[in-house]
Each structure stands twice: as C-alpha cells, then as structure tokens.
Amino acid sequence: MSLITLGQKESHTKVLLLMGSRFELTAISTDQEEAAKAIDSGIAEIKRIEKLISSWNTNSQTSEIIKNAGIKPVVVDQELFNLIRRSLKISKLTGGAFDISYASMDKVWHFDGKMKEMPDSSTIAASVAKINYKNIILNPDKRTVFLKEKGMKIGFGAIGKGYAANKALDIMSKMNLTGALVNASGDLISWGKDEGGKDWKIGIVNPKQKGRVFSWLSINETAVVTSGNYEKFVTINGQRYSHIIDPRTGYPVKGLSSVSIICPNAELADALATSVFVLGKDKGLELINRLKGIECLMITDKQELFTSNNLHLDYIQKPITNHKYQIKIGE
C-alpha cells in the first residue's frame, strides 16, 4: 500500500489484480487504520461479485445459466437477476450494440500477433449466430434466467468491472473516510474529496501516446470510464482492426480510437463506453445527447476530438496533438 501525506489527511492506495484486471482503491482519511480497513472492505466486495458473475468459475450462478442454455431456466440471486435485467435494458436502448450474450461469439479474431489474414464472411457470420439479447428470458416471479438456444453464453466483460467499482465505492463511502476512489482498469468512480480537500482530478490519455494526458477533468462523486482500441489490435494487409467487435455483425469497429463516458454510475458508464464505440461517432453522440446526466468525450481515428452537448472544452473538434484541455460539465 502506498501512502501520500498532505497536511492532516492522507491518501492511502492499494493496487492489485482482481477480476482479471488491475484495480486501484484509494481512501482519504486522517486514520491510516480506518483507511486500510475501508480498502480491505472494498476488495472483499469485488471478490464477492467476481464469484457471482464469473463465467470462469464453474460453481458460479453465471456458469450454471450457461450450462443450462437451451435446456431449462436457472434460479439466481436477486442481485444477479437485477444486473442481467439492467443489461437487457441497455441492449434495448442501444439496439444491440451492447449485448451480454456476446460471450457466445466464436473466436475468429485473435489479437496475439499470430493472425495474418482476414476470416471469410461466412465464418464471421457463424461466429455471432448465437448472439441475441432477446433470447435471454427472465422470469421476475420465479427469479429465473433462461438462455433460449443451446450454445448461448453470457458474460459481463463490458459491465462487470463498472458494477464492482460501484459496489466497492458504496461500501467504502459508508466508512470513516472523507474521500475514496476506485479505478478498475479505466472504470473509475469517486466519492468525497481528495487529500487536499478538492475535487478529484482525472487525466484522460492520448490514444496515440499512452504516457501523455491530453485532457483533465475535475470530478466529484462521478464515474469516468474510458474504452480504447489502442492496446489490442491486429494488422492485416496494412489495415488495423480493433479488438472491440460489433456483436451484431462480428466485425471489428472502425472510426473511433477512444471513448470516455462521464456519469454518476460506473456500471452504466462501462456499458455505454462500449456501446458508443460500436455505434460510432454520429449515432453514439446522438444516443448520449438523449440521456440526461450522461456526457461523452470521443477521439476519432483521425485524432479529432468530439464531445456531447453539455461537455465543454476550451478547444474542440481539432487534432488533439500538442493541445491540453480542461473539461467542464454544464454551462
């Protein structure tokens, strides 16, 4: 655990691998023991959620749902039922750009450097044949989940980390702290103030220069989630293909390099960041501008910067190279 001391309040941070991702939990307190206790409580909550939603754990309720695809409905905890129900609402909102049944996608795209040629169109079409959120059948009275077709799977890779960050921060905020922050590999949510008693200041990185921050955002009890195509990709015949795949078509998405969603809820921001990436600039902005209290910042493959209506920058829709931005929400 690292410690940064500024005046009376101290920033305590712990970094560890959870849910297959890098989690960073920070607690602000005058009491080191209380801060450590809060961080440990947040970690325990993330581990609990991982056991519930992990498809890798053969004993999880999620695995039980998958095992019984096309066979029978499975009774699940109310918590998991509600998460799936919220996921389906986002699928409907985005026209299937977000879909937890993406997990049944056959692996035809590989991003380990070994892929040298394009898969044929029939192979790609077959890879997404089992993806259809409308075939996830919920029964609220019996609290059951049923995957209608054999071979269907569900996964929470595009919403699970945000949900876990929400839940961990909720527990930490009820403890003896003045501020807390949970960062789940880019799914970030804050509460209270930083060690200086100010709003948390979050840097958004340049997709082309990962070590450089191109914009700063001051947040207070807000989530910021960024999705990017700059870490996993494959190049075939000089064309670069992102690891973010449209679940409706089976093809990698094009046009955007980075999408950041800003809203009070990390779970929703997590799902919408993926959705906007899939929808693309125009449809993505159209969606976000319809949603109250949610803002978006995106960078195109041409390094142009665009924002939703209520997110203001001092200099927008220009190449981001060699510019710094201070982001403001609202008027």
Side-chain angles (χ1 to χ4, degrees), residues 172-202:
M172 292 173 70
S173 69
K174 292 179 172 67
M175 303 183 75
N176 189 26
L177 305 176
T178 58
L181 184 143
V182 178
N183 184 356
S185 294
D187 296 7
L188 185 149
I189 187 166
S190 70
W191 169 81
K193 304 290 184 179
D194 68 12
E195 64 271 23
K198 298 179 180 179
D199 287 348
W200 297 88
K201 197 172 184 183
I202 306 304

Side-chain angles (χ1 to χ4, degrees), residues 204-205 207 214-215 256 258-260 281 285 296-308 311-321 323-327:
I204 298 176
V205 301
F214 81 90
S215 63
L256 295 174
S258 174
V259 171
S260 295
K281 179 178 76 71
L285 284 175
C296 175
L297 180 151
M298 58 177 65
I299 301 168
T300 69
D301 287 339
K302 296 179 181 178
Q303 290 283 277
E304 291 180 317
L305 181 63
F306 293 86
T307 70
S308 52
L311 199 62
H312 303 302
L313 302 152
D314 55 6
Y315 192 82
I316 65 170
Q317 296 182 14
K318 298 288 184 181
I320 67 171
T321 309
H323 289 283
K324 292 282 185 181
Y325 304 87
Q326 185 69 36
I327 308 173

Side-chain angles (χ1 to χ4, degrees), residues 70-330:
I71 301 171
K72 65 177 182 178
V74 174
V75 178
V76 299
D77 290 351
Q78 191 68 54
E79 180 180 13
L80 181 58
F81 186 91
N82 290 344
L83 177 61
I84 294 172
R85 180 160 53 185
R86 292 194 301 272
S87 297
L88 296 185
K89 286 181 179 179
I90 297 170
S91 294
K92 188 175 180 180
L93 176 70
T94 62
F98 174 86
D99 193 331
I100 60 171
S101 69
Y102 82 92
S104 53
M105 185 185 299
D106 288 333
K107 303 296 183 185
V108 299
W109 296 93
H110 303 280
F111 302 96
D112 54 5
K114 295 177 183 176
M115 193 172 181
K116 302 300 180 186
E117 58 183 32
M118 284 283 290
D120 62 71
S121 58
S122 60
T123 301
I124 291 173
S127 76
V128 296
K130 301 291 185 182
I131 300 175
N132 188 347
Y133 69 93
K134 294 177 183 178
N135 286 335
I136 302 173
I137 312 301
L138 303 183
N139 185 323
D141 295 328
K142 296 182 178 179
R143 212 174 65 238
T144 60
V145 181
F146 178 51
L147 305 183
K148 202 171 176 180
E149 292 188 30
K150 282 193 172 183
M152 279 188 72
K153 297 177 183 178
I154 57 172
F156 300 97
I159 196 170
K161 292 199 306 295
Y163 176 60
N166 272 355
K167 296 288 283 183
L169 189 81
D170 184 56
I171 284 177
M172 292 173 70
S173 69
K174 292 179 172 67
M175 303 183 75
N176 189 26
L177 305 176
T178 58
L181 184 143
V182 178
N183 184 356
S185 294
D187 296 7
L188 185 149
I189 187 166
S190 70
W191 169 81
K193 304 290 184 179
D194 68 12
E195 64 271 23
K198 298 179 180 179
D199 287 348
W200 297 88
K201 197 172 184 183
I202 306 304
I204 298 176
V205 301
N206 184 329
K208 299 294 184 183
Q209 299 170 295
K210 289 192 295 178
R212 293 185 62 182
V213 170
F214 81 90
S215 63
W216 292 96
L217 171 66
S218 294
I219 63 171
N220 180 17
E221 303 189 6
T222 303
V224 181
V225 172
T226 299
S227 289
N229 69 357
Y230 40 86
E231 292 187 340
K232 286 185 182 179
F233 58 88
V234 62
T235 303
I236 302 172
N237 297 327
Q239 179 75 42
R240 185 164 125 161
Y241 295 91
S242 160
H243 78 288
I244 300 174
I245 296 172
D246 187 335
R248 302 166 300 181
T249 66
Y251 284 88
V253 297
K254 295 181 181 179
L256 295 174
S257 290
S258 174
V259 171
S260 295
I261 299 291
I262 302 156
C263 75
N265 185 299
E267 174 194 313
L268 180 59
D270 195 2
L272 287 176
T274 302
S275 303
V276 169
F277 228 111
V278 171
L279 290 169
K281 179 178 76 71
D282 294 336
K283 288 184 178 179
L285 284 175
E286 181 184 342
L287 169 67
I288 298 302
N289 285 329
R290 293 201 321 262
L291 302 176
K292 187 176 180 182
I294 299 172
E295 302 302 334
C296 175
L297 180 151
M298 58 177 65
I299 301 168
T300 69
D301 287 339
K302 296 179 181 178
Q303 290 283 277
E304 291 180 317
L305 181 63
F306 293 86
T307 70
S308 52
N309 289 344
N310 291 319
L311 199 62
H312 303 302
L313 302 152
D314 55 6
Y315 192 82
I316 65 170
Q317 296 182 14
K318 298 288 184 181
I320 67 171
T321 309
N322 298 324
H323 289 283
K324 292 282 185 181
Y325 304 87
Q326 185 69 36
I327 308 173
K328 296 179 182 178
I329 302 174

